[in-house]
Amino acid sequence: MNRDSLTIETPAGPVHAIAGPLQDDAVVFELNGAMRGQVHVTGTHHPQHWDRFTAVRACLGPVNAYRDTAPDDALPRLARGSSGYRGNLKLYTDVVGRPEVSVYSMETAAGHEPSQKTAATLTAVLQACAEHVLQREDLPTILTASRQRDTPALLRFLAWSAAHHQAEAARLEAEARAARPALRAAVAAWWTAARWFISCPHPVLLLVLADYPGSLSRAVAVEQWRGPYCRTAAAREHEYARRAQAEADSLRAQARARSRGRRQAPGSAAP
């Protein structure tokens, strides 16, 4: 399993990838054939669930491109090319179990977008390596190590996210409250102008009552829209904050369970 060899058919020709032994939380593939260099594959969280480590990320180069930047001279390149390439791919399953692929930041070391053929070659190699790791017997070990590695940073991010969404919800709720008196004032001003027009028709008053940007009519319409919109948006922000907090709580619970498991392991092995 540790030295599995893959042959990947790509638009640039066959690429041979050999999986090296597990390195902490990653599998590194050595590439030969139509492409030379290395691909680094590690576990990662599902893109819609920060607390669920059920996906793998394949990165061009010998390091996890999600966290580190490989030196230019260490980046993979086509056998007949001189440009090294950066990029990574995430492989996961959707809600019904179908495989999904997300490709990120495919570019040369100089920051240029690769040709369509080259991009297809890079994607095919990354996806094949990721699929191989998803089928390995030691995948649970890889995912657990990746969760341990990423949990501290994820907890910091989720704490920021929850606070940000709560603050945004408070701002929107304040704006919704402000819309009520603003709507009443706009309606009162419109009716005042309407009564003036009824008692003394004048083109200027008709212009005041017309619907155009900056008019009283438009102010009424905007304030009628602003209140409900802000209340709906605030509820959405509260849900985002609740979800971030729930995912943070889940990560902490998983960490505590691992810690208890490590403490209990020596005792459980005793006769």
Side-chain angles (χ1 to χ4, degrees):
M1 176 67 73
N2 285 341
R3 298 294 296 176
D4 277 359
S5 177
L6 311 176
T7 298
I8 309 159
E9 296 298 330
T10 77
V15 175
H16 307 292
I18 299 177
L22 181 62
Q23 300 179 8
D24 296 327
D25 62 353
V27 179
V28 177
F29 292 81
E30 293 288 343
L31 307 178
N32 290 287
M35 191 172 167
R36 306 294 174 84
Q38 295 177 317
V39 167
H40 180 287
V41 183
T42 186
T44 189
H45 59 82
H46 191 281
Q48 279 84 48
H49 303 282
W50 297 88
D51 60 327
R52 300 182 190 176
F53 278 70
T54 57
V56 296
R57 184 188 302 277
C59 306
L60 293 170
V63 300
N64 182 358
Y66 189 62
R67 297 170 58 87
D68 303 296
T69 301
D72 291 353
D73 59 1
L75 295 173
R77 59 200 67 222
L78 299 182
R80 297 182 180 180
S82 58
S83 296
Y85 293 94
R86 289 192 176 91
N88 61 90
L89 172 151
K90 182 180 282 191
L91 180 63
Y92 56 97
T93 56
D94 63 13
V95 293
V96 295
R98 294 174 301 192
E100 292 282 344
V101 173
S102 296
V103 181
Y104 306 90
S105 308
M106 206 73 77
E107 62 182 18
T108 68
H112 303 304
E113 186 176 342
S115 69
Q116 186 174 358
K117 178 180 177 181
T118 298
T121 297
L122 301 175
T123 300
V125 170
L126 288 174
Q127 183 168 345
C129 293
E131 288 172 347
H132 169 80
V133 171
L134 269 184
Q135 297 169 5
R136 287 174 61 113
E137 294 176 357
D138 55 0
L139 176 63
T141 299
I142 295 171
L143 295 177
T144 297
S146 298
R147 183 187 293 109
Q148 292 173 330
R149 177 200 67 210
D150 288 347
T151 289
L154 283 174
L155 287 175
R156 290 192 296 271
F157 166 75
L158 291 169
W160 170 87
S161 179
H164 169 77
H165 288 301
Q166 288 286 21
E168 188 64 9
R171 183 190 67 80
L172 289 163
E173 287 169 342
E175 191 170 342
R177 290 192 297 270
R180 296 191 187 100
L183 175 59
R184 289 194 296 268
V187 170
W190 190 92
W191 278 110
T192 297
R195 285 192 293 269
W196 288 349
F197 180 77
I198 292 171
S199 61
C200 184
H202 192 281
V204 172
L205 291 173
L206 186 61
L207 185 62
V208 169
L209 295 170
D211 185 11
Y212 62 90
S215 70
L216 288 175
S217 291
R218 186 62 57 88
V220 171
V222 167
E223 296 304 332
Q224 285 177 327
W225 163 86
R226 187 162 68 110
Y229 170 82
C230 289
R231 286 190 291 273
T232 299
R236 187 166 57 245
E237 293 295 328
H238 278 303
E239 175 58 25
Y240 292 153
R242 185 207 60 76
R243 179 173 174 178
Q245 186 60 55
E247 290 175 334
D249 292 342
S250 173
L251 284 171
R252 291 191 187 93
Q254 293 175 62
R256 287 194 296 270
R258 290 194 302 271
S259 179
R260 286 195 298 269
R262 287 193 295 269
R263 288 196 301 268
Q264 294 171 1
S268 63

